[in-house]
Structures are given as structure tokens and as C-alpha cells.
Amino acid sequence: MALSLSGDDEEYESESEQRAAVNRPKPKMGTTSGVKLPSNRSSSGARRRRTRCRKCEACLRTECGECHFCKDMKKFGGPGRMKQSCIMRQCIAPVLPHTAVCVVCKEAGKEDTLESDEDKFNFMLMECSICNEIVHPNCLKVSDASGVVNDELPNCWECPKCNHAGKSGKSPLVLKQKRGPGFKYASNLPGSLLREQKPVKEEGDISAVTKRRPDREETPRFRAEEALHRQPPLLSPSGQPRPRPEDKLRKKRKLFDDEDEEDLSMRKKEKMDDSYFSKLASQIKTEREDEDVYGEDDEDEKELHFRSSVDRRDTEEDFKNDPLNPSIRTPVGDSDQSYCSSPQAGPSSEGGSETQERGPRPKARRKRHLPNNRELSRELSKALNQEIQKTEDCLAIENRQPLKAEPETENEEPRRLFRNGNELGDQRTHLKAKEMNGTNWELRHFYQSPITPLGFNRSAPTTRPVPPRSPPKCVQMERHVIRPPPISPPPDRLPLKDGKAHVLQREVWMKIFSYLSHPELCVCMRVCKTWNRWCCDKRLWTKIDLNRCTSITPLMLSGIIRRQPVCLDLSWTNISKKQLSWLINRLPGLRVLKLSGCSWAAVSALCTSSCPLLRTLDVQWVEGLKDAQMRDLLSPPTDNRPGQLDNRCKLRNVEDLRLAGLDITDTSLRLISRQMPLLSRLDLSYCNHINDQSVNLLTAKGTTTRDSLTDINLSVCNRVTDYSLNFFKRCGSICQIDLRYCKQVTKTGCERFIAEMSVSVPFKLKEDKLLQKTS
DNA sequence: GGAAACGTTAGC
DNA sequence: GCTAACGTTTCC
């Protein structure tokens, strides 16, 4: 059957091509002619441009005003040359334009007027990803052939004609073009975290197809298999593995190839040892089958290597079985709750879809996988395995000890929810990292246990450790579509296979889940779609700890955003500036941000990113963070755009500032005092330039810190003397002064301070040179 | 190969 | 006719 687009389109095609040829400044050399036909025009139809669905979360958002494309827009003061959509508004399910009609009957889609799924499908417009023809399936008189529905885009399939002819539409270019804006931005984003993956030879395996109902409400699943085996090697710029103290603790890791997939259910069972959970799992097993949850559960559970400090697995067996193990639990799928909430076909990555049978479907079959992705995954797996093997021994196992939880007054969630989140903030952990009056950064990384300054190794190596680096581009920059949190509420009860709902309501489950560690939650997320959504509730993830996670991947970033943590610990990671900036701009509710041990290059993202609710900022031991950088950090936004008239400091609401180990002077303290009126907790330990004059500055008349400071840590500040205690007498709210290991502070001086203060505010010596208010 | 530019489409 | 922005080309 000769199918083509309307005459208008044919007309446009020739006209526009001619115009394009005329307007093109310089015909690209090397092509056969000045006018290069789009690759997909080689087939029978011109492609219809897709447009926003206007329903998905992304479409409903407003422009962020911060991203590269927003900044280009005229309304944000840019030149308007790029003409791209805000990256936060990239439609996840771009649809055919309203003007699209069936090339056979010349009519639009009619699915809205029909009742049954079958009718809906037969009368909806379907665009073939190979020949680009848009037809009603019903208008095709091909009785024995099957179209293969592409779940990645609404109204997209491989038409029966092409499918029957064995054509493949999976050339990388075609794939890219077909994926619509949800994919475009990822690869078009400058310096993107989300860049498109290098295409690999495709494979013609489309044998695993399942039928699909045409219901556009259904959100497709897919697997970003290309992300499966990505672990950035930890290399120094010289290519040498970065030595890390934990190396010797690291377990041998094995990277799963595709077998990992088959292994999932097995591992899932292993995780379900608990009898009740096992029973429940068996009950809801059919929900998996019915609900098409495989991809979703799986992908989500794999997207983020959240770690639990209380659930460290020590045995190799456990390590292998732990789906959260970064090396094993490498991302299989993109994830997001939008799967549940997006009104239309959802986004995708390079991976194909993995779907269960959803009921009878005439003609159309659903691809189980996009065939090229499996091959792609294998190829990547091989390459990355080799790479990872090289650096495997250098990767650090997450073997931190559980430390006391951070006192988080601003966190609304019960503390027990955070049992997984350890507190890296105990500065003692890092105290030995720096020589008191020097700038040695030895031992900057990875202390296994809290130490006291007395344990400080002053004979540490003199060479400065290589600062954290971002993963190599090829690993880091995978294409990955980020979707916003869902709008639709998760179900209140768990559907069971007999059609009934489980007796326990969601909130009861939430209480149970709140006792689980993050790895355990991730396991639960693989059980079924309902649990997947429940376990992703941000109440369970108010604190996300990626401390010392050796590589921050796009999947992890999307996982973080999905969970919208209040507290995010990225300390001692190699997060890049772009990643951090991208992240911060999408975490409007972030209150605690820990970037201890990161590089200034990364932390400088705070200079341009907006984080209005930030209350706690931990930048201790940030390499390269000195007065000049502190000035950048505390200065008002310099890129004010129309509508952005706020000239106040971006960090003006910070109450808890951790600056341990920084080479900052009074210059920075002046700025801090001026720009952070709410500052109550200040950690200046191991700041070797801090002296009595610094304390004088912080407590001087007219400064906000004089009244706002409640807790100051000056431990191991050897230039601070007893004289500073006189300055603290004028602090109205001071409750704790930590002067431990300050060589020039004496016990006598502390006792004198206590005696003099006893008239108004009773203090005690909690430890040697650690003064604490008694009431 | 990635980023920028820009012609042109789609919606209003 | 205007704006938004998709998809392709060109630049670097």
C-alpha cells in the first residue's frame, strides 16, 4: 500500500528543502549535495514534528529560569538564539500535532470517541517510526501482520508493513529523531549530564514481543540497559588509580551483564526471607504480572546507590547479593515515578521496554526490548568491565561506621526514618586531615573511624591527594531523562491478585517502611508498582547519604530528584559542578547540603544555583575554598535577570555553617557575619588562620552573629587563646564553645570564663576546653 | 562529538 | 502574526 503524508506535507518538503539549500550558509562538505535529505526521509514518509502533550509534569511546570536554555531566552535576558525548551519542561510524552491525520482516510485520531481498548487502538493515529506514515491501524488492510508498538512515544509504532517487511527503524539517528523532545534535551544540553550514549551495533532481536493495550494512560516501561554497567573508573588525571585507604577493605566486585536481569527475581527472593514478607510477596506477585511493574521496580531500585551505614554487608556473599551494591546493582533502567503518573507514554532512555502481557491486542505487539539496546548493553558492559577491573581495587567499599545522627532541628521527619543516614558531620572524622598551621591535605580522604586530634597523624605524606574528579565523560554523560515527581497520589492500598486490596493502608505500610534502611527500601521497590511508589515517598528519603560514593552518576542524580531529600550528603564524592548545579536547582526543598571534601570546582556551583531553604551547609575540607572563593559564595547573585530582583546572599538563610579545615581568614568571617544573619552554628575547627581577632569580629557590636551564634567550634585552632573567651561573654545566645585542642587555650582560662559567666549564664566544662551551657 | 545556531512547525 | 520550540545543520 502506498502511504504518504498529505499533499501539504509533500509540498512543504520540497519547498523547505529548497529554501534550506538556499539559506544554508555553507553546504556541508563531504555530502553528496548541498541539500542533504534527512536520514528518515529515505523511507516513504516525511516525519511529523511532535509537540508537547501539555499534560505531563514537565509540561505543567514553569521555566526554571536557570538552565542553559532558559538563560538563552529573551525573557530571561538571553539572546534567544538557541530556541530550546527549558530543560525542566521537556515533555516526557510528545504527541502528534493536532493537524496530523491518517494518510489513508485523512481523518484525525478518533480514540477519544470510542470505548473499548481495541477500538481505541484501531482508531488512534499511529506514526510509524520507520516509514513515518501516520495511519489509523484500522485503515490498514493488512490482516495478518502486526505492528510493533513503541512504548517510548505515544502514537508510535512500527507499522505492520514495515514490520512485516523486516525493516528496521533502529538506526541511531532515527532513534534519536523519533524520541522527541524528552530525549532531545538530554543530548542537547551543553555539558550535559545526560548526553546520548554512543550507539552500538544493533541487534535484530525483536522476538520477545508482548501485546499491548493501546491505552495511553498506561505508562510504558523501559530499561536503560546502557546504564547497566557503568561505573566510572576512579582514575587520577595521570590515569593511575587513586589510592584509597579502604582499598584493602574492598570486596571483589563482579559486574553483571545481561544475566543480571535474569538474576533479579532470584535475588529478590533471597531478599524476601522474612516469612510475612515472603507470604505477601507471593500474594502480590501477580500484581507484578498484572501491573507491568518489572521495569519500573527494577529500574528505580537500581537508579541510586543509596547506602546504609547500619546495613553494611560484610560478607562477599551479601555483597554480591546486594542489589544496592554500586558495582552489581548497576543501573538497569531509568526510573521515575512519572511512570506511574504520566498521562501518556513516558520517557525513555536508550533501553528498550520490558513489559508484561497486558491483555488482548489486535495487530499491535509491544516490543519487549528495543533490540539494539541489549546489544548495546553488552558492548558497554564489556568495555566498562574492563575499565572497572582496572580500577576495581581502588574503589572504596562503603564501610563507614554508623555515627551519631545529625541534630536536624529543621527536619520534620522522625529521626528513625533516617537510620540509614549516618552523620559524616562529625568533624572529628576529618580532623586529622590537615596540619594545623599548614595547608597539607594529606589524609584528606576516607577515615575509617572517628578520631580525635590527638590521633592526628602529623607525619602524613606531604603530597596532596588528587582531588575528587568527575567520572570520565563517556561514563558520566549518559543520556538520561529526568522526570519530575508524580502528581497523582499513590494508591492507598495494595492490590492483590484476587482483585481485593490488602487490609493494611498505605500509611501503615509507610510506618513499616520507615524502619527499613535505604537498601531495604530499594529491595521493596522491586516488589511491585505500588510498593515502588510507596517506598519512594520522600518521607522515607528525607536524608540521602552518598558520602564517599566514588562516582555520582546521572541515574543517581535522577534518583535523588525523585526522592526530593531534605538533607543531601555528597561529601567526599567526585560530583562535578554541572552535576551539583543541576541537582541543586531541582531540589527546592533542600535544607541540608553536605559537600565536605569536594572540590571547589564543584562547590562553586553554589555561586550560581539557588537554594533558598538551605539551612545547613557543610563545606569543610573543600579543596581550594579560601577567602576569594568564600566571597564568591557569599556574594549576591550576579546574573540577575528580569524578575529576579533579589540581591541578597544566596546563602542568607544558612544557620549551620561548617568550614572546618579551610584556609579562610577574617575576611571571610566578616562576610559571613554580614551575609548570614541567621547563623547559629559555626564550625571553624582546623582553620589555622582563625585567631582571637576572628572571634572578636564575630562577636563585635553590631554584628548579627553576636546574637545569633549558639554553637561555635574552634577546636584545633591554635591561634585562638584564652583571650577569645572574653569575646564570647558578649554573645547573648552562645551555648557551646568548643576549644578542644587549642594549644593556647588553658583550662584555667575556661574555668575563669565559667566563673565569670555563672552570674548570668551557667556554663560547664563538658570536656577539656569544651564549654557548654548547663541549662 | 558536543554545542550552538537557526529554519521551520505548531499552537494560539 | 506571534511565541515556543522541534529537529537539523553547522561550527568548533
Side-chain angles (χ1 to χ4, degrees), chain A residues 41-55:
Chain A
R41 302 263 172 115
S42 58
S43 47
S44 57
R47 181 158 181 250
R48 272 278 180 177
R49 173 186 288 199
R50 285 179 177 253
T51 187
R52 287 187 174 282
C53 71
R54 294 162 188 272
K55 295 175 190 168

Side-chain angles (χ1 to χ4, degrees), chain A residues 26 28 31 140 318 411 449 512 551 625 648 708 752:
Chain A
K26 278 188 290 181
K28 193 173 183 177
T31 51
L140 292 178
D318 278 347
N411 202 326
S449 59
I512 297 170
S551 74
L625 177 44
R648 292 174 294 174
S708 64
R752 192 187 315 127

Side-chain angles (χ1 to χ4, degrees), chain A residues 579-752:
Chain A
Q579 287 178 316
L580 185 59
S581 178
W582 189 89
L583 203 52
I584 292 172
N585 284 327
R586 286 154 185 80
L587 296 173
L590 193 64
R591 287 175 168 249
V592 179
L593 179 59
K594 298 179 180 180
L595 298 169
S596 169
C598 295
S599 65
W600 165 250
V603 174
S604 64
L606 290 170
C607 296
T608 52
S609 302
S610 172
C611 209
L613 293 181
L614 198 65
R615 296 291 185 270
T616 299
L617 178 61
D618 182 347
V619 288
Q620 53 189 341
W621 305 104
V622 165
E623 181 188 346
L625 177 44
K626 298 179 181 177
D627 285 339
Q629 290 72 27
M630 193 62 82
R631 188 183 60 238
D632 292 342
L633 210 51
L634 295 174
S635 60
T638 53
D639 58 343
N640 272 349
R641 291 177 289 273
Q644 271 198 326
L645 301 172
D646 195 350
N647 276 321
R648 292 174 294 174
C649 167
K650 298 174 290 292
L651 302 171
R652 63 184 175 277
N653 290 323
V654 167
E655 297 168 353
D656 185 350
L657 184 61
R658 303 176 190 179
L659 304 173
L662 300 184
D663 289 328
I664 55 169
T665 69
D666 293 353
T667 308
S668 291
L669 293 186
R670 278 193 201 94
L671 275 172
I672 290 167
S673 181
R674 202 177 304 146
Q675 302 287 1
M676 293 184 170
L678 305 176
L679 190 66
S680 68
R681 295 165 59 90
L682 179 60
D683 182 358
L684 293 169
S685 59
Y686 276 89
C687 292
N688 53 300
H689 298 300
I690 299 301
N691 53 30
D692 293 338
Q693 176 57 22
S694 313
V695 178
N696 185 22
L697 265 175
L698 289 170
T699 59
K701 189 178 180 182
T703 59
T704 53
T705 41
R706 178 175 181 149
D707 294 320
S708 64
L709 274 180
T710 62
D711 188 331
I712 187 160
N713 187 348
L714 296 169
S715 59
V716 207
C717 290
N718 283 345
R719 294 186 185 179
V720 173
T721 73
D722 285 346
Y723 198 70
S724 282
L725 288 167
N726 292 322
F727 297 130
F728 283 123
K729 288 176 192 169
R730 52 198 192 192
C731 285
S733 308
I734 197 77
C735 294
Q736 179 160 304
I737 307 165
D738 191 345
L739 296 166
R740 286 177 292 178
Y741 312 104
C742 292
K743 289 176 183 171
Q744 300 195 57
V745 175
T746 64
K747 191 174 182 182
T748 314
C750 293
E751 286 168 349
R752 192 187 315 127

Side-chain angles (χ1 to χ4, degrees), chain A residues 110-121:
Chain A
K110 294 176 265 190
E111 66 271 26
D112 292 343
T113 64
L114 299 165
E115 291 291 318
S116 74
D117 284 353
E118 183 173 343
D119 286 343
K120 276 178 182 288
F121 176 78

Side-chain angles (χ1 to χ4, degrees), chain A residues 252-372:
Chain A
K252 194 76 177 173
R253 297 183 184 189
K254 181 190 173 204
L255 213 65
F256 283 67
D257 284 335
D258 285 351
E259 300 86 77
D260 192 33
E261 210 171 287
E262 283 86 44
D263 201 34
L264 288 177
S265 60
M266 182 66 76
R267 286 187 283 137
K268 199 171 301 169
K269 282 177 185 169
E270 290 168 2
K271 291 289 171 190
M272 285 293 170
D273 285 341
D274 177 273
S275 59
Y276 177 74
F277 273 47
S278 300
K279 189 179 172 185
L280 182 63
S282 67
Q283 279 184 286
I284 58 180
K285 188 179 176 185
T286 50
E287 186 189 1
R288 160 182 288 281
E289 291 156 4
D290 293 338
E291 286 193 7
D292 186 18
V293 299
Y294 190 85
E296 178 169 357
D297 301 341
D298 199 37
E299 70 211 6
D300 196 79
E301 173 265 327
K302 295 192 173 225
E303 70 190 0
L304 190 54
H305 308 150
F306 296 117
R307 300 175 306 165
S308 166
S309 59
V310 295
D311 258 8
R312 291 287 161 250
R313 284 168 171 75
D314 292 322
T315 67
E316 183 161 348
E317 188 62 24
D318 278 347
F319 201 87
K320 275 184 177 177
N321 288 336
D322 187 354
L324 295 162
N325 182 306
S327 63
I328 297 174
R329 203 186 56 72
T330 36
V332 166
D334 186 4
S335 78
D336 205 287
Q337 65 275 44
S338 299
Y339 291 124
C340 308
S341 60
S342 176
Q344 297 187 355
S348 171
S349 69
E350 295 293 316
S353 53
E354 175 92 20
T355 348
Q356 305 293 317
E357 190 162 330
R358 297 298 300 255
R361 161 98 336 268
K363 293 184 180 179
R365 293 178 301 169
R366 187 179 186 187
K367 278 182 286 185
R368 184 175 171 85
H369 280 283
L370 286 181
N372 57 326

